[in-house]
Amino acid sequence: MPDNHQPDRGLHLERSGNILIVILDNPPVNALGLRVRRGLLAALRQAQSEEQIHALLLLGSGKNFAAGADIREFNQPRQPPLLREVCDQIETCTKPVIAAIAGNALGGGLEVAMAAHYRLAVKGSRLGLPEVNLGLLPGAGGSQRSVRLIGAEAALDLMLSGRPLSAEQALELGMVDRLGLDARVDGLVYAHELLADRCGVRRSSELTTRLADSAAQQAAIDAARTKLPTQFRGLFSPALIIDCVAAACEQPFAAGCQFEAAQFQRCLASPQHRALLYAFQAERAAAKLPDTTGLAIAAFSQAGVIGGGTMGAGIAVVMLEADLQVTLLERDEQSLAAGLSRVEEFYRQRVSKKRLSATAAAARLAKLRGTTEYRDLATADLVVEAVYEDLAAKQAVFRQLDSHCKPGAILASNTSYLDIAAIAAVTNRPQAVIGLHFFSPAPVMRLLEIVVPPQAAAEVIASAVVLARRLGKVPVRTGICDGFIGNRIMSVYRRAAEAMLEDGASPYQIDTAVREFGFAMGPFQILDVAGGDIAWATRKRRAAQRDPQERYVQIADRLCEQGWFGQKSGRGWYRYEPGSNHGVQDPAVLEIVARERERAGVTPRPFSAEEIVRRYLAAMINEGANLLAEGIALRPLDVDVVLLAGYGFPRYRGGPLYYADKIGLARVLDDITTFAAEDPQFWRPSPLLIRLVEQGQTFASLNAE
Ligand code: 3HC
Ligand code: NAI
């Protein structure tokens, strides 16, 4: 029965016989902010002082046990009690403390559970130490307790990957003691059993079994260190996480904790933490559109996908993963069979890589059907078109959709560049037509641009945002222009890279410099992965509108004319052995580059890695500012999220506009002005950038508006 509901504590207390139940209750995610920490200490004091209480049961309310430290407190001075002290108090409590986890126990949330004496997890819950994703490490004893509970190898994996464990995995590793179906019911049963068996307290800090094999622990630590330069390139906190694990293996618990506290403090003060925290918050803010609150949100249960090629098949998978019924429509039976088999192949791979059980894959595929008839889309709540990038072809599809789909259905195009308004105009319901721009491979890439033509209804946009979250995507609203936010910025920094190429930098030097900055790939590598023919087709399409004054570097065209499209043709900017995606440098490419420089009358000059990166980023930042000024991107954070979630911008640098603020907008403008001296047509400083510099403002000031 309820004991004392204390909303000011962020938790409430109940009693069941001699067990005090502490229910974390701090919506939305039970973050362990100051009042929760105070509340937990008060609850512990009460349990210690009341003789009739024999044990404590920790539960979370809602969908989470606890999502960790309250990230909103990271920008403020830290206020005691720190979570570390709370965890120590939990562990030193003389009455058994049992944590029963349902939902997410992440970061500090799992640290609280690890400080408890016994742990139960409900099936479906997720237990993780994702601090690394925020540039941090567990700061409440988690690096020390996890090693004692599950050993160095598993603890390193948990902390370095940031990936949560399932309840079953946690049980197998020894992170939890048993599984349950209901945290409260099974937690109480467990607590009573422990009391009946007189189990007493069992402190994680005093466990020694895992540490006994010191050679195995050391081997795990050494193995993790060798991965630092590749898997964790450029990142600050992973090396410190490994140091903390080493401390856990070598030092007494208290000394290890002290070491951890010092490393946590270093992370907290690091620029990488601030950038990663910004990225986390920007992704959530991007999903909040100013004009969509309070609107009726469509319910989605059936989806249609038109075209079963690379994107259509991938989008069908995304929909199936979100438990939607999917109808895939192709132009003829043969193409339909090919499209359906692409989806089936995806699931075959998942099963063979043991990422999904055969039963689960079969259940997903049971929700997929194929057709060549538009009437089979009559009940769909949403249809995404992914046919060839051709306006007339897309318009023909939308005419069909308009005459067959039910009123209220959302009709979306996955076009990369085309004008959605021109597609919407052929229907009698332009208010229902938007762009949903998925990225390739659709099941993997997190970004989803929601392309909003002027006629789109606010309900449709709001519903698309909700759908995007359900699909596990990061939605960003974009207005209409050639390429929307992402591809438009990309075409500009790609041009900057091509100009450097013609002026003297090699493609390999450019790719290396860009990767060294932290991008997942350089621009020429990306072209080889995506297929040079796609960008070539876009260049040809735009040729008629190209300003004759514009510098046009033809080197990529020369490669395409030879049929060198990248990985798919075994040759592009790099050479690929059959069956390998690993590109090696190709002297023949360098010969073509040299010939083209000569033809263009360019005397090559040397480029430093620093200059390459400065030019690449200046192009990106300047075009980001243009998109803001034109209202295509709503806020600087939208530009940042697009580049982070869809274009491999290093997350620990926060995104191009965040980065621009950090290095100083005056410096960026200076660079652009300098570059403009040699190519004034390309390097035109954005009026918004000029205004911000003149007013001494930052892009961040526009996020706050
Ligand atoms: N503190 C404060 N607010 C948080 C939070 C946290 N730890 N985690 C999430 N939130 C907020 C979000 O910002 C969002 O706020 P908004 O509604 O104002 O935008 C709201 O909670 C809901 O979050 P999501 O939209 O992400 O909800 P989901 O249901 O999709 O996901 C989640 C829930 C899996 C818990 C996800 O929010 C998440 O991964 N959170 C971060 C977890 C994390 O990194 N924890 C470690 C923190 S660092 C730490 O614990 C240090 C310790 O070692 C000392
Ligand atoms: P694709 O060529 O792999 O697939 C197109 C599919 O559409 C083919 O299976 C074809 O049979 C089918 N199709 C053609 N006309 C049709 C019609 N009238 N009715 C039904 N089906 C029809 O093309 P891809 O790469 O999947 O691209 C599709 C769309 O997605 C394009 O608009 C493209 O710009 C966009 N896009 C592509 C990305 C990529 O990386 N490939 C990334 C993001 C968007």
Side-chain angles (χ1 to χ4, degrees):
M1 62 181 239
D3 188 298
N4 44 355
H5 182 69
Q6 291 150 316
D8 59 315
R9 287 187 180 187
L11 52 80
H12 60 270
L13 305 178
E14 294 179 16
R15 263 175 221 247
S16 172
N18 53 4
I19 295 174
L20 181 66
I21 309 176
V22 181
I23 305 167
L24 301 171
D25 189 5
N26 186 26
V29 292
N30 295 335
L32 301 160
L34 180 62
R35 63 195 188 122
V36 180
R37 300 197 298 275
R38 284 187 179 146
L40 275 167
L41 284 193
L44 285 164
R45 272 196 303 274
Q46 184 176 342
Q48 290 282 35
S49 64
E50 282 187 34
E51 233 172 77
Q52 59 275 38
I53 296 176
H54 293 181
L56 277 99
L57 176 64
L58 296 180
L59 300 173
S61 64
K63 284 194 295 181
N64 297 282
F65 176 76
D70 191 329
I71 55 175
R72 290 164 305 182
E73 290 180 0
F74 286 155
N75 296 328
Q76 303 159 12
R78 298 174 78 196
Q79 284 202 58
L82 300 182
L83 192 58
R84 150 182 316 281
E85 292 154 27
V86 175
C87 287
D88 287 346
Q89 295 276 331
I90 292 173
E91 202 186 56
T92 50
C93 181
T94 54
K95 298 175 181 178
V97 183
I98 299 104
I101 298 165
N104 294 303
L106 300 177
L110 184 55
E111 291 182 288
V112 163
M114 287 193 288
H117 304 128
Y118 301 94
R119 282 159 295 280
L120 173 146
V122 164
K123 291 184 181 184
S125 49
R126 304 189 320 148
L127 298 84
L129 293 172
E131 285 89 343
V132 69
N133 297 330
L134 297 174
L136 297 173
L137 47 84
S143 68
Q144 307 301 299
R145 288 193 180 90
S146 62
V147 173
R148 286 167 170 80
L149 280 164
I150 60 175
E153 188 181 354
L156 279 164
D157 187 44
L158 195 62
M159 288 184 274
L160 289 173
S161 75
R163 258 191 322 269
L165 301 169
S166 65
E168 291 78 6
Q169 289 167 326
L171 179 72
E172 202 180 314
L173 287 172
M175 175 61 87
V176 301
D177 304 293
R178 64 163 71 176
L179 298 185
L181 294 173
D182 181 282
R184 185 190 181 94
V185 173
D186 295 318
L188 278 172
V189 169
Y190 190 23
H192 284 298
E193 274 177 38
L194 288 164
L195 288 177
D197 295 345
R198 299 185 185 286
C199 287
V201 300
R202 184 196 57 183
R203 302 196 166 105
S204 306
S205 64
E206 292 168 1
L207 300 174
T208 53
T209 329
R210 296 286 184 182
L211 300 178
D213 186 351
S214 57
Q217 312 306 312
Q218 192 55 47
I221 292 165
D222 292 343
R225 281 203 213 283
T226 60
K227 289 189 202 147
L228 276 176
T230 47
Q231 241 170 296
F232 305 104
R233 186 168 49 94
L235 292 172
F236 181 67
S237 72
L240 303 188
I241 289 174
I242 301 175
D243 291 345
C244 287
V245 170
C249 295
E250 290 156 12
Q251 298 184 28
F253 181 75
C257 279
Q258 228 175 354
F259 181 78
E260 180 202 80
Q263 307 319 309
F264 182 76
Q265 209 48 48
R266 286 175 68 191
C267 291
L268 209 53
S270 70
Q272 286 198 1
H273 162 60
R274 282 191 289 278
L276 287 162
L277 184 59
Y278 166 79
F280 179 90
Q281 290 171 328
E283 278 182 2
R284 277 145 190 88
K288 292 195 176 76
L289 300 179
D291 49 358
T292 56
T293 35
L295 296 169
I297 302 299
F300 298 100
S301 66
Q302 294 184 38
V305 178
I306 316 288
T310 310
M311 290 310 291
I315 294 166
V317 167
V318 172
M319 305 283 183
L320 291 171
E321 289 296 298
D323 204 26
L324 292 167
Q325 189 86 41
V326 178
T327 304
L328 181 67
L329 184 144
E330 261 285 357
R331 53 191 167 145
D332 53 44
E333 290 298 339
Q334 200 186 346
S335 310
L336 178 60
L340 291 172
S341 76
R342 275 186 198 101
V343 179
E344 285 154 9
E345 178 57 23
F346 172 86
Y347 282 108
R348 251 195 304 280
Q349 295 271 343
R350 296 268 323 254
V351 172
S352 79
K353 288 182 186 159
K354 301 211 180 328
R355 303 243 168 90
L356 196 69
S357 72
T359 328
R364 308 279 212 285
L365 284 168
K367 296 195 121 190
L368 172 71
R369 61 181 182 146
T371 186
T372 55
E373 300 291 340
Y374 278 88
R375 61 169 180 263
D376 290 334
L377 298 177
T379 52
D381 306 300
L382 159 86
V383 181
V384 182
E385 164 278 314
V387 307
Y388 303 132
E389 186 74 344
D390 175 84
L391 183 61
K394 288 185 190 285
Q395 285 174 327
V397 168
F398 274 77
R399 279 192 197 96
Q400 291 282 355
L401 292 177
D402 191 25
S403 57
H404 288 89
C405 291
K406 68 180 185 187
I410 295 181
L411 309 182
S413 171
N414 185 49
T415 178
S416 308
Y417 291 94
L418 300 174
D419 181 356
I420 306 279
I423 296 172
V426 303
T427 71
N428 292 308
R429 43 172 126 177
Q431 76 286 352
V433 179
I434 53 167
L436 285 181
H437 186 210
F438 290 83
F439 289 72
S440 180
V444 176
M445 296 296 291
R446 298 164 60 239
L447 179 63
L448 179 60
E449 283 184 325
I450 299 185
V451 190
V452 178
Q455 306 88 335
E459 279 86 1
V460 171
I461 303 163
S463 301
V465 170
V466 172
L467 171 76
R469 296 295 305 266
R470 176 165 167 198
L471 300 179
K473 300 296 175 198
V474 178
V476 177
R477 176 213 178 275
T478 158
I480 294 194
C481 66
D482 197 356
F484 317 126
I485 297 177
N487 281 347
R488 180 162 138 193
I489 295 182
M490 183 181 70
S491 67
V492 175
Y493 64 74
R494 204 176 255 176
R495 278 174 60 200
E498 285 171 351
M500 288 189 273
L501 175 66
E502 193 171 65
D503 286 341
S506 89
Y508 313 121
Q509 199 192 351
I510 295 172
D511 279 352
T512 306
V514 165
R515 270 199 317 271
E516 287 292 313
F517 177 78
F519 276 90
M521 284 191 269
F524 298 100
Q525 264 183 303
I526 294 174
L527 276 168
D528 272 6
V529 173
D533 50 331
I534 295 178
W536 193 28
T538 310
R539 288 197 298 277
K540 286 195 253 184
R541 181 169 56 79
R542 289 180 178 161
Q545 300 112 40
R546 198 173 296 130
D547 181 344
Q549 300 297 313
E550 182 185 299
R551 176 176 182 183
Y552 181 72
V553 176
Q554 297 183 26
I555 303 173
D557 294 350
R558 295 293 95 79
L559 263 60
C560 290
E561 283 154 15
Q562 314 246 14
W564 296 357
F565 297 139
Q567 287 184 357
K568 64 167 102 166
S569 55
R571 213 161 171 181
W573 295 96
Y574 295 79
R575 243 178 201 282
Y576 302 86
E577 290 303 320
S580 164
N581 286 342
H582 177 73
V584 292
Q585 300 190 5
D586 186 349
V589 167
L590 296 179
E591 275 169 31
I592 293 176
V593 172
R595 264 204 309 276
E596 283 300 302
R597 285 179 187 145
E598 220 175 292
R599 195 192 51 72
V602 174
T603 311
R605 70 169 177 89
F607 278 81
S608 67
E610 197 215 336
E611 181 179 357
I612 290 170
V613 168
R614 272 175 106 122
R615 285 174 178 263
Y616 201 66
L617 290 174
M620 202 176 281
I621 295 162
N622 199 47
E623 198 59 12
N626 283 332
L627 285 163
L628 284 170
E630 291 167 32
I632 307 282
L634 281 184
R635 302 150 293 194
L637 64 87
D638 293 298
V639 173
D640 284 336
V641 172
V642 165
L643 271 291
L644 289 171
Y647 293 81
F649 194 96
R651 204 172 161 83
Y652 62 85
R653 295 191 193 271
L657 302 187
Y658 177 91
Y659 177 77
D661 277 350
K662 295 298 155 204
I663 58 173
L665 299 190
R667 190 192 112 171
V668 178
L669 183 58
D670 251 17
D671 276 354
I672 295 171
T673 317
T674 310
F675 307 151
E678 72 201 33
D679 185 354
Q681 214 282 341
F682 179 71
W683 292 106
R684 278 186 279 199
S686 156
L688 175 64
L689 185 61
I690 296 171
R691 175 169 73 76
L692 290 175
V693 171
E694 279 171 1
Q695 296 175 348
Q697 282 190 331
T698 57
F699 283 117
S701 65
L702 304 178
N703 279 331
E705 268 173 17

